[in-house]
Structures are given as structure tokens and as C-alpha cells.
């Protein structure tokens, strides 16, 4: 698949060849095929090689690497250029802690983030955008009747993967972007949680637009995640998801862990001096705490100030 595959190339069904050993193939992988690659009904090819991955987006089930769940690392997708962080503005309510985690994962995997705020017909984006003012984070607002031209322009020529909680509207958006996709769309239950309608990731070629030249890009729809665990990201790399804070740490004492109980952590003075939003530092420290098994395990991705579930 992917940019050099033309729109008229056949869709080939292939299975993993035994010589690949235990290496798993994930959505986004570029592979070498042998056998019947005609795409004819019943034709079956074999995947004999997985090309080196340009990027690998990972998450863990939990944050704490000392637990079995924390060690269980999942590759979400390979070779993505852009991480589309999908968050509803209501129903389910936005979780800035979740978005912060996705940003950490994106920077860690060297994938560009794009914030996609859905259900803009139900609530305004001011609170979420206000939280990210210092980040120059590109964003798009989506409502059922919105024009998708700006989003299509940001997706053109790249492989983008959507991540987000269940029920935020990922598949709804994919169906609008790729009308023949026919992705199942679910309902959101009363407590504001979706039901995990999508159960596997699927990459879809975006259709060419009249008047636009070049490759329209690929979009990958993924199943909703309950949390985006970051046990695989080092404490130092966590900070890369907080570019508004990173500069301050040059003034930290050697081996500063940047936690709230570090007496001389320069982040406190940075925030006290108005150079960054205190909520961002709090979010970073909640992430640090969560990785060491502390913090509120029920809603690890809700920052103070985020709306309550169901509101
Ligand atoms: N009001 C409103 N509702 C929306 C919007 N986008 C999606 N929805 C509704 O939200 C519900 C969930 O949408 P899905 O597209 O299934 O959500 P998903 O993110 O794919 O969920 P999972 O597959 O479970 O991860 C559906 O009832 C949609 O109709 C929107 O922009 N505004
Ligand atoms: Mg879905």
C-alpha cells in the first residue's frame, strides 16, 4: 500500500509467510509479496518481507512499566506521518490529559500531531484551545455540516492515523472523507462513553478532489482506546510532549526528576513567572506520577478543569 500504489492497483489478499517468524505485520506496514498478487477473487499472496518502518506509533495498556499491563506494548500503526488526535468537544467530554499523552506519543514517534475537535455543534472549543495556546498545535473543528476542505488539505500527501476515545466520531469522519468506506458508527451511552464500535484499524485511501493535484493521502481509522499508556516512553522523552515546558529544564539541578517534591525544579519558577500555563505543568507531573504507579487510576486522563463525564 501507500503513496506509490496507484488508485487502480488491485487490492490483494495476503497472509504472513512462515519465514517472517514472530514478526507481526501491522496496519501501515509496507510489505513485499509473492504468489498470486492479481487481486482476483480467491487469489492469495504471501507477505515475505516487512520494510523498515519510517515511524512506529506505540502505546501500552497502562503507564506503569512494573505491571504486566504496563509491559504489554502495542504497535498502533507503522509509517504514519501524522497523528490525528480526535477529541469530541462534548459527549464524551474532552480530556486534555488524553490529548497530552497523544502529543507525547507523537513526538516520541516523530509523527506530526493534528488536533481534530469533533462535535463542535455541541460545545465550543475555547477551553481546549485555551489550554494549548502556547503550543502552536494545528487544529481543525468538525461539525456534522462542516466543510472538510481544510482537513483534506492537511491530510494530502501523507499517511495519517486517527486516535481517540470511543464515540468521539472517528468513523463518522472517515465515512465523510471516504464515502465508500462504510465504517460502522456507534452510539454514545448516557455516561458519555462510546461502545467501541470499531474493533480493528483500517487504512483507507482518500479520494482525489476535483481541482487538487497529487496524492490525496491515506487515513487510518483505529478502534477507540480507553487510555493511551506511555510506559514505553522514557521520563526524559515525556517532556518532549510539553514543548512549552522543556526550555525551563536547562536551569534544573543535575538529575532533577521534575516532580512536585523536587525542591529546586526550575519548572515551578517558570510557571510562577507566567512563562507557561500551570495546568500544563500539573498535567506533566500527573503523567510522571502515573508512570510510577501513583495517581488516580480511574480517570488518569482527566485534568482538573476538564468537564465532568456526561456534562
Ligand atoms: N452531534 C454530533 N455527533 C457526532 C459528530 N460526529 C459523530 N457523532 C456521533 O457520535 C457517535 C459515535 O461516532 P463514531 O464515529 O462511531 O465514533 P468512533 O470514534 O468511531 O467510536 P469507536 O469506533 O467506538 O472508537 C455517533 O452516534 C455519531 O453520529 C458530530 O460532529 N456532532
Ligand atoms: Mg469507530
Amino acid at each position: 500500500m501507500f503513496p506509490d500504489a496507484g488508485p487502480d492497483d488491485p487490492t490483494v489478499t495476503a497472509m504472513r509467510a512462515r519465514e517472517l517468524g514472530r514478526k507481526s505485520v501491522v496496519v501501515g506496514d509496507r510489505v513485499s509479496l509473492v504468489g498470486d498478487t492479481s487481486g482476483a477473487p480467491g487469489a492469495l499472496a504471501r507477505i515475505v518481507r516487512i520494510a523498515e518502518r519510517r515511524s512506529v506509533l506505540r502505546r501500552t495498556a497502562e503507564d506503569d512499566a512494573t505491571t504486566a499491563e504496563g509491559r504489554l506494548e502495542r504497535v498502533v500503526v507503522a509509517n504514519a506521518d501524522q497523528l490525528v488526535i480526535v477529541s469530541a468537544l462534548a459527549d464524551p467530554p474532552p480530556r486534555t490529559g488524553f490529548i497530552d499523552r497523544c502529543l507525547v506519543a507523537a513526538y516520541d514517534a516523530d509523527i506530526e500531531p493534528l488536533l481534530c475537535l469533533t462535535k463542535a455543534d455541541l460545545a465550543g472549543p475555547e477551553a481546549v484551545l485555551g489550554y494549548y495556546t502556547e503550543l502552536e498545535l494545528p487544529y481543525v473543528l468538525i461539525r456534522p455540516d462542516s466543510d472538510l476542505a481544510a482537513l483534506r488539505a492537511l491530510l494530502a500527501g501523507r499517511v495519517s492515523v486517527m486516535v481517540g476515545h470511543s464515540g468521539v466520531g472517528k468513523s463518522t469522519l472517515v465515512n465523510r472523507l471516504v464515502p465508500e468506506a462504510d465504517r460502522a458508527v456507534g452510539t454514545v451511552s448516557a455516561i458519555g462513553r462510546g461502545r467501541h464500535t470499531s474493533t480493528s484499524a483500517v487504512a483507507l485511501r482518500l479520494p482525489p478532489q476535483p481541482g487538487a493535484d497529487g496524492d490525496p493521502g491515506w487515513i487510518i481509522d483505529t478502534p477507540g482506546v480507553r487510555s493511551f499508556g506511555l510506559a514505553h516512553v522514557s521520563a526524559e522523552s515525556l517532556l518532549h510532549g510539553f514543548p512549552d515546558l522543556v526550555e525551563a529544564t536547562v536551569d534544573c539541578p543535575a538529575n532533577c526528576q521534575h516532580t512536585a517534591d523536587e525542591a529546586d525544579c526550575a519548572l515551578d519558577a517558570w510557571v510562577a513567572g507566567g512563562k507557561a500555563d500551570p495546568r500544563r505543568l500539573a498535567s506533566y507531573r500527573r503523567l510522571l506520577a502515573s508512570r510510577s504507579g501513583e495517581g488516580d487510576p480511574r480517570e488518569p486522563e482527566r485534568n482538573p478543569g476538564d468537564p465532568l463525564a456526561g456534562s
Side-chain angles (χ1 to χ4, degrees):
M1 71 183 274
F2 291 154
D4 45 5
D8 301 322
D9 286 341
T11 300
V12 176
T13 304
M15 56 185 284
R16 220 166 54 91
R18 195 173 299 144
E19 52 260 49
L20 281 179
R22 295 176 54 185
K23 253 197 239 153
S24 59
V25 185
V26 300
V27 172
D29 265 325
R30 307 186 66 140
V31 299
S32 305
L33 300 176
V34 299
D36 188 344
T37 57
S38 65
L44 187 61
R46 283 187 306 135
I47 300 171
V48 290
R49 204 177 68 86
I50 303 170
E52 200 178 320
R53 293 169 176 165
R54 197 167 66 240
S55 69
V56 183
L57 180 69
R58 300 183 161 88
R59 71 178 183 95
T60 53
E62 266 180 16
D63 285 328
D64 185 354
T66 62
T67 65
E69 286 284 274
R71 282 190 297 269
L72 186 65
E73 189 175 302
R74 301 161 202 217
V75 172
V76 180
V77 64
N79 298 317
D81 304 303
Q82 182 163 249
L83 181 65
V84 183
I85 305 165
V86 187
S87 171
L89 288 163
D91 192 25
R95 292 282 173 259
T96 55
F98 176 80
I99 300 171
D100 287 346
R101 286 160 178 272
C102 292
L103 290 172
V104 169
Y107 292 120
D108 186 62
D110 209 7
I111 300 174
E112 282 181 58
L114 170 66
L115 183 58
C116 179
L117 299 172
T118 58
K119 311 199 189 187
D121 52 316
L122 302 181
E126 297 74 20
V128 176
L129 294 179
Y131 178 83
Y132 291 107
T133 35
E134 276 145 83
L135 252 61
E136 289 171 37
L137 180 61
Y139 73 90
V140 287
L141 291 182
I142 307 288
R143 42 196 307 155
D145 56 353
S146 59
D147 174 40
L148 299 178
L151 176 58
R152 285 190 199 279
L154 290 163
L155 300 176
R158 313 203 248 184
V159 176
S160 302
V161 53
M162 296 209 266
V163 295
H165 287 144
S166 186
V168 295
K170 298 178 294 297
S171 299
T172 302
L173 185 55
V174 160
N175 285 338
R176 291 183 64 201
L177 289 166
V178 188
E180 62 268 38
D182 208 14
R183 294 286 282 168
V185 164
T187 51
V188 178
S189 60
I191 52 161
R193 297 205 197 286
R195 291 178 184 173
H196 299 271
T197 304
S198 306
T199 51
S200 59
V202 172
L204 297 153
R205 185 198 300 282
L206 291 156
Q209 292 304 298
D213 299 336
D215 166 29
W218 286 80
I219 186 86
I220 301 175
D221 186 17
T222 65
V225 294
R226 201 162 288 130
S227 66
F228 208 107
L230 294 172
H232 60 290
V233 179
S234 72
E236 206 50 44
S237 298
L238 273 190
L239 202 50
H240 296 155
F242 296 81
D244 45 339
L245 302 178
V246 71
E247 204 184 316
T249 58
V250 297
D251 294 326
C252 281
N255 300 323
C256 179
Q257 301 300 305
H258 314 309
T259 55
D261 45 20
E262 286 272 0
D264 297 317
C265 177
L267 285 168
D268 293 289
W270 183 258
V271 162
K275 298 223 172 89
D277 190 327
R279 294 174 300 172
R280 293 275 299 158
L281 176 56
S283 178
Y284 170 59
R285 285 186 169 156
R286 293 179 82 240
L287 247 181
L288 281 176
S290 176
R291 285 165 40 93
S292 49
E294 299 157 34
D296 184 352
R298 281 166 307 161
E299 273 210 278
E301 294 169 343
R302 179 165 174 249
N303 281 328
D306 285 346
L308 291 167
S311 62

